[in-house]
Amino acid sequence: MTELFDMNELFERYVLRLLQRAEPAFADAGLRIQGQRRRKFWESEAGTKTIRPDIVADFAGVDGPHRVILDTKWKR
């Protein structure tokens, strides 16, 4: 069976947009929601490893800045 859409990507974008819409309500905490961006993870002799988290949420906590990594999955 062939799907018309990549449902995993569609679901990821849907969750991302919902979270981005909530940003203004948490502006006092400096909430910032970003989608997939390749980030350096590990350097070794074999090269640099990168990760691409689905969603990254950065915000300012009482004890300093925090980062939360979110992973979305679509399943039938």
Side-chain angles (χ1 to χ4, degrees), residues 24-48:
F26 297 95
D28 58 333
L31 179 64
R32 188 167 146 214
I33 305 290
Q34 298 176 327
Q36 284 194 10
R37 282 187 17 209
R38 192 170 297 271
R39 298 168 191 257
K40 189 187 323 184
F41 178 66
W42 190 273
E43 285 189 50
S44 67
E45 291 179 18
T48 300

Side-chain angles (χ1 to χ4, degrees), residues 6-19:
D6 178 350
M7 290 304 293
N8 194 49
E9 182 179 340
L10 185 64
F11 182 68
E12 177 187 317
R13 287 182 182 201
Y14 172 73
V15 172
L16 175 63
R17 296 295 182 253
L18 283 178
L19 292 171

Side-chain angles (χ1 to χ4, degrees), residues 36-72:
Q36 284 194 10
R37 282 187 17 209
R38 192 170 297 271
R39 298 168 191 257
K40 189 187 323 184
F41 178 66
W42 190 273
E43 285 189 50
S44 67
E45 291 179 18
T48 300
K49 301 284 185 189
T50 59
I51 58 172
R52 217 174 48 180
D54 292 343
I55 300 170
V56 177
D58 292 306
F59 62 96
V62 176
D63 54 346
H66 295 280
R67 174 169 285 161
V68 177
I69 306 298
L70 303 165
D71 185 52
T72 60

